[in-house]
Amino acid sequence: MEILWVILFPLCGGIVMALFGKHRLAPELNSAMSLLTLISAGVLTWRVIEHGSFTALDEEFFVDAFNVFLVALTAFVGFTTSLFSRPYMRIEQHHGKLSANMLRLYYSMYQLFCFTMLLALLTNNMGILWVAMEAATLTTVLLVSLYRTPASLEAAWKYFILCGVGIAQALFGTILLYFAAERLLGANGTALLWTHLNQVKGQLEPTVLSLAFVFLLVGYGTKVGLAPLHNWLPDAHAEGPTPVSAVLSGLLLNVALYAVVRSKVLVDGALGTHFAGNLMMGFGLLSVVMAAFFLSRQKDVKRMFAYSSIEHMGLMTFAFGMGGAVATFAALLHMTVHCLTKSAIFFAVGHAAQKSGSQIMEQIRGLIKTSPTVGWGLSLGTLAILGMPPFGVFTSEFLILVTTMHTYPWITPVLLLALGVAFAAIFSRMQVMVFGETTGQRLPHPPALVPTFVHLGLVLMLGVYVPPYLAQWYHQAAALIG
């Protein structure tokens, strides 16, 4: 029953916001629905910690240590982003960028977007997982195009076309997976249930599974933003509302990577080789290197941090591809800290762009003078995402690099070079935006950035101290992944 509440609250929230999204209390109502989702996710998490994994509703839903931690993370960031949305979207409406109808569309699609992500995480059916990812694409297309400017419509169209083509590849991979499983499990509806597939993965046809994983990796990898399938991501981040950038970078990319990892578990069991891991390592390494060198060419602050997301998703994909206890633990930790840090950065960037009236970095100067809260939020968030100690990103990246040095020493210099280039590109721009000279006046009121510092506080804690129950959680999830 706990699983149903987690997905019913955002689904009902989407319906409620479609009806009452024009009301002056719509932002508070949106946050209230997100809070109910977070509470239900907390209850579900408690049950998994106490009693272990379980299935529900005729095995159509499944929860274990791997997906429940992503459910809790998704619900938490969904709630904090809804809190950030309240003042941000009201200012956008005050500036004439959004109408009442556009706000209603935003709030309803925001709730439905959360619903699709949670459904993708909780479903046991690989077919429904595909449907949920496609539904997430459709909802985010409407969110990215919210401003109805030529640039936002172009970004939404590019997002729809590229991710539509990618998700079609994932559909073909899912069909091949069903073809391989039907001989063993029959055509009675269980051939796409992940728990059943996992039980017989050693008996699945290796050739078919290999081909299926290629399509699944390309399909879901498009949603992850892996190079060279990443072109939609910078435009979608730059042209959509900043809260959408926060959930896209912090949540949707994680959910897409979750689908890839679930598929990898089946393929590893069927092949008994490192085929899937090698593919993930190749795409991940290419993404890290490509994004690092593209960072130095960006002029738009949101596009810059979008390429940073590509870099970090590539690093996670690389770590999951390496496999092993340490690398998988590090990848799970990196999923957590990147999600929290990147959403916090977009919260600060959103206010900075609103106050300066531009997303062009050359026009954003001296935030520490005009708005100290935004300046410190952006500077601390940037240092965290660049892997500076003692933030949690440093811990996860250090573990990934140590594992790489031990297993694939020749790749270590490539990773270090890419991370160094990314550090130089982002840090040099952040320094001027925060501490540069400006003629702007100090803002009379500080912006509402409590979610930013809550996120950064959690990332700092995970860099210094990982609570025992959370560490055990990661260990259990790493064991399930392999």
Side-chain angles (χ1 to χ4, degrees):
M1 194 62 183
E2 294 89 346
I3 291 179
L4 273 181
W5 288 120
V6 173
I7 58 177
L8 280 178
F9 278 128
L11 178 60
C12 294
I15 298 172
V16 169
M17 298 312 301
L19 296 174
F20 302 103
K22 286 185 175 182
H23 196 276
R24 64 183 181 86
L25 294 178
E28 286 73 21
L29 188 58
N30 182 53
S31 296
M33 298 305 298
S34 297
L35 177 60
L36 291 175
T37 303
L38 175 59
I39 293 172
S40 60
V43 173
L44 177 64
T45 302
W46 173 83
R47 176 172 175 180
V48 172
I49 291 174
E50 289 293 319
H51 304 290
S53 61
F54 64 94
T55 59
L57 293 181
D58 199 23
E59 296 187 291
E60 288 298 322
F61 292 95
F62 169 66
V63 61
D64 61 9
F66 180 28
N67 61 356
V68 77
F69 113 79
L70 288 174
V71 167
L73 187 63
T74 299
F76 175 73
V77 175
F79 172 62
T80 56
T81 304
S82 71
L83 295 179
F84 166 74
S85 293
R86 293 170 58 247
Y88 183 88
M89 300 308 282
R90 278 175 171 153
I91 293 173
E92 294 291 272
Q93 185 181 24
H94 178 73
H95 289 167
K97 294 183 177 181
L98 296 174
S99 64
N101 282 327
M102 294 164 77
L103 281 175
R104 179 172 66 177
L105 175 66
Y106 167 78
Y107 289 124
S108 58
M109 288 302 106
Y110 181 85
Q111 289 293 324
L112 290 179
F113 175 62
C114 293
F115 162 72
T116 57
M117 288 190 295
L118 292 169
L119 177 62
L121 290 171
L122 289 171
T123 183
N124 191 27
N125 191 308
M126 298 297 287
I128 296 178
L129 171 62
W130 180 88
V131 171
M133 293 300 298
E134 176 66 8
T137 301
L138 298 177
T139 55
T140 43
V141 163
L142 296 173
L143 289 170
V144 169
S145 64
L146 190 67
Y147 289 126
R148 298 295 189 270
T149 61
S152 66
L153 292 173
E154 179 185 351
W157 180 249
K158 182 186 291 187
Y159 173 66
F160 178 72
I161 293 298
L162 289 177
C163 288
V165 172
I167 210 73
Q169 308 301 312
L171 175 61
F172 189 63
T174 305
I175 292 171
L176 287 174
L177 187 62
Y178 177 80
F179 173 74
E182 186 186 11
R183 299 179 184 180
L184 294 171
L185 299 175
N188 58 358
T190 63
L192 280 178
L193 297 182
W194 189 87
T195 49
H196 288 241
L197 289 167
N198 191 45
Q199 290 173 0
V200 299
K201 60 187 178 184
Q203 305 172 48
L204 297 175
E205 175 59 41
T207 304
V208 178
L209 262 290
S210 300
L211 188 59
F213 184 75
V214 171
F215 283 100
L216 289 167
L217 178 60
V218 171
Y220 291 130
T222 305
K223 299 283 288 185
V224 177
L226 298 178
L229 315 166
H230 66 281
N231 291 331
W232 64 270
L233 198 150
D235 290 342
H237 280 64
E239 303 302 333
T242 300
V244 176
S245 301
V247 291
L248 274 177
S249 189
L251 301 181
L252 180 63
L253 307 186
N254 275 358
V255 175
L257 184 56
Y258 162 83
V260 173
V261 174
R262 283 290 195 200
S263 304
K264 176 182 179 292
V265 172
L266 301 178
V267 177
D268 285 345
L271 273 64
T273 67
H274 208 245
F275 170 77
N278 289 337
L279 278 179
M280 291 179 68
M281 287 177 62
F283 276 102
L285 185 62
L286 176 63
S287 301
V288 173
V289 174
M290 182 281 306
F293 285 95
F294 268 91
L295 278 167
S296 60
R297 302 176 55 187
Q298 303 311 309
K299 298 180 180 179
D300 184 299
V301 62
K302 289 175 70 177
R303 286 183 68 89
M304 181 180 72
F305 283 112
Y307 275 104
S308 172
S309 294
I310 296 172
E311 176 205 0
H312 286 278
M313 295 311 297
L315 195 60
M316 291 176 221
T317 305
F318 177 83
F320 278 123
M322 274 197 299
V326 178
T328 306
F329 180 94
L332 293 168
L333 178 60
H334 202 70
M335 288 179 90
T336 307
V337 293
H338 173 260
C339 172
L340 294 171
T341 307
K342 193 54 66 66
S343 52
I345 288 174
F346 276 114
F347 296 161
V349 164
H351 279 303
Q354 275 187 338
K355 303 310 178 186
S356 62
S358 174
Q359 294 178 189
I360 304 301
M361 287 182 278
E362 291 182 355
Q363 300 177 21
I364 303 175
R365 287 288 186 273
L367 289 174
I368 203 71
K369 295 180 181 178
T370 59
S371 181
T373 310
V374 174
W376 281 113
L378 181 57
S379 59
L380 291 175
T382 303
L383 291 175
I385 205 64
L386 290 176
M388 290 292 288
F391 290 101
V393 180
F394 167 78
T395 305
S396 56
E397 287 187 348
F398 179 78
L399 290 173
I400 293 172
L401 284 170
V402 167
T403 309
T404 305
M405 195 178 301
H406 178 265
T407 313
Y408 301 95
W410 61 273
I411 298 180
T412 308
V414 180
L415 279 179
L416 286 173
L417 174 64
L419 293 175
V421 170
F423 184 97
I426 296 178
F427 186 78
S428 61
R429 286 165 170 78
M430 180 276 294
Q431 196 172 18
V432 178
M433 284 191 292
V434 175
F435 300 103
E437 293 297 326
T438 180
T439 57
Q441 298 296 315
R442 186 183 179 93
L443 296 175
H445 302 290
L449 281 181
V450 172
T452 297
F453 293 103
V454 169
H455 284 205
L456 293 177
L458 291 173
V459 173
L460 178 63
M461 180 197 75
L462 291 173
V464 177
Y465 170 72
V466 179
Y469 68 89
L470 190 58
Q472 183 181 4
W473 200 356
Y474 288 139
H475 282 301
Q476 290 174 355
L480 289 169
I481 297 168

